[in-house]
């Protein structure tokens, strides 16, 4: 998207910095006060200590994945889609998917990898809308992803850009859990750990499908952890910290 014209630049600076009333700002696609307030309030509710003692078979988790325009959240790359699966223990209870408009060109190699085209994102919701809906779906759940560094960096960049906050949810990384449970593997990429766990690969590099496969991996690891007397999130953290 082209930068707004220089005429009236004071208004655009105020819009970008949040100095314009939300009713006016929403017309121009800026985050609404209600959206920002919701995301901030959700952030403040995280890190509850009681969740540490909840049995893993009753723990509410959201396994998620993002597709992005590249790999560098701090250097201009943007989120293209959110995919997520909500579980209670090992039972799936809901799923979520949305494209978002990154407001930048979708590189050809990313279209080839993900199937997401420029035309698809041009018609997709704004980042704040997709982020708001994803955060509402995640709620107070523990988040899970495979190789969390990439996804956490992009979520943090999006949260800061839209709401000036950082992610405060507890996050588990199935790659780290795989390294603990399966120390003899040569590689811990998603393809390799899915193959080792004999989990069928459906569609790779689609946010929802990757989230579903990672959810299946989490279910398998829940089963294996029961044999190691890992009963709660606190138990799991203790093992991972000592690994």
């Amino acid at each position: 998207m082209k930068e707004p014209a220089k005429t009236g630049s004071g208004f655009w600076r105020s819009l970008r910095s949040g100095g314009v009333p939300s009713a006016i700002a929403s017309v121009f696609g800026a985050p609404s006060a209600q959206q920002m307030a919701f995301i901030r309030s959700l952030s403040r509710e995280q890190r509850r200590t009681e969740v540490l003692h909840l049995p893993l078979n009753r723990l509410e988790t959201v396994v998620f994945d993002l597709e992005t325009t590249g790999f560098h959240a701090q250097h201009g790359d943007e989120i293209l889609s959110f995919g997520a699966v909500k579980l209670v223990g090992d039972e799936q209870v809901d799923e979520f998917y949305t494209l978002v408009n990154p407001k930048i060109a979708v590189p050809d190699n990313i279209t080839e990898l993900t199937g997401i085209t420029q035309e698809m994102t041009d018609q997709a919701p704004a980042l704040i809308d997709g982020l708001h809906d994803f955060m509402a779906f995640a709620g107070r759940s523990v988040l899970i992803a495979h190789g969390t560094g990439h996804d956490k960096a992009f979520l943090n960049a999006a949260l800061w850009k839209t709401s000036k906050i950082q992610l405060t949810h507890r996050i588990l990384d199935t790659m780290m859990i795989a390294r603990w449970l399966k120390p003899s593997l040569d590689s811990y990429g998603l393809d390799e750990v899915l193959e080792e766990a004999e989990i069928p690969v459906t569609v790779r590099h689609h946010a929802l499908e990757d989230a579903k496969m990672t959810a299946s991996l989490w279910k398998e690891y829940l089963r294996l952890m029961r044999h190691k007397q890992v009963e709660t999130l606190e138990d799991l953290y203790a093992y991972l910290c000592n690994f």
Side-chain angles (χ1 to χ4, degrees):
M1 185 175 73
K2 292 184 178 179
E3 187 175 352
K6 296 294 184 181
T7 305
S9 59
F11 170 81
W12 288 105
R13 281 197 299 271
S14 295
L15 176 61
R16 287 194 294 269
S17 65
V20 175
S22 60
I24 298 175
S26 63
V27 174
F28 292 91
S32 74
Q34 291 83 2
Q35 287 172 316
M36 289 188 291
F38 170 78
I39 291 173
R40 288 170 178 165
S41 67
L42 191 63
S43 177
R44 288 193 295 268
E45 293 177 5
Q46 303 310 311
R47 299 290 174 178
R48 296 169 295 135
T49 57
E50 63 267 25
V51 75
L52 291 172
H53 310 296
L54 194 67
L56 291 176
N57 62 9
R58 291 169 44 204
L59 183 67
E60 184 176 283
T61 57
V62 166
V63 186
F64 77 102
D65 184 70
L66 308 176
E67 296 303 329
T68 59
T69 61
F71 302 99
H72 306 290
Q74 301 303 321
H75 299 285
D77 285 319
E78 300 285 351
I79 295 173
L80 289 172
S81 63
F82 295 82
V85 175
K86 183 173 289 185
L87 305 170
V88 176
D90 60 2
E91 181 181 353
Q92 180 175 331
V93 296
D94 205 355
E95 62 184 48
F96 172 86
Y97 179 75
T98 186
L99 290 166
V100 294
N101 188 337
K103 299 295 185 181
I104 63 171
V106 180
D108 291 341
N109 65 311
I110 296 299
T111 294
E112 184 177 352
L113 181 70
T114 66
I116 299 173
T117 66
Q118 189 70 52
E119 292 74 20
M120 292 164 67
T121 60
D122 285 345
Q123 300 174 43
L127 172 63
I128 183 62
D129 296 318
L131 181 62
H132 175 277
D133 292 347
F134 170 74
M135 296 298 287
F137 179 82
R140 301 169 74 183
S141 304
V142 174
L143 298 180
I144 299 175
H146 191 80
T148 56
H150 173 86
D151 300 291
K152 186 176 179 180
F154 274 89
L155 269 184
N156 269 326
L159 286 166
W160 187 255
K161 179 187 299 184
T162 60
S163 308
K164 297 297 183 285
I165 63 167
Q166 296 286 298
L167 188 69
T168 56
H169 286 67
R170 297 183 186 276
I171 300 182
L172 291 171
D173 190 338
T174 49
M175 181 183 289
M176 182 179 292
I177 297 172
R179 290 181 183 276
W180 165 50
L181 291 174
K182 304 286 183 175
S184 62
L185 293 184
D186 294 328
S187 176
Y188 292 89
L190 185 57
D191 291 303
E192 288 77 16
V193 294
L194 290 172
E195 180 180 2
E196 193 280 334
E198 299 183 347
I199 295 170
V201 174
T202 55
V203 181
R204 286 286 280 113
H205 305 295
H206 181 284
L208 180 56
E209 292 301 315
D210 281 352
K212 287 180 177 179
M213 289 182 285
T214 305
S216 295
L217 191 65
W218 169 246
K219 293 177 189 179
E220 170 63 11
Y221 290 167
L222 280 175
R223 185 185 68 80
L224 295 177
M225 287 189 290
R226 281 195 289 270
H227 296 305
K228 292 180 175 288
Q229 286 74 53
V230 176
E231 302 292 342
T232 67
L233 190 59
E234 184 176 42
D235 294 339
L236 177 55
Y237 280 149
Y239 272 94
L240 295 178
C241 286
N242 292 323
F243 173 64

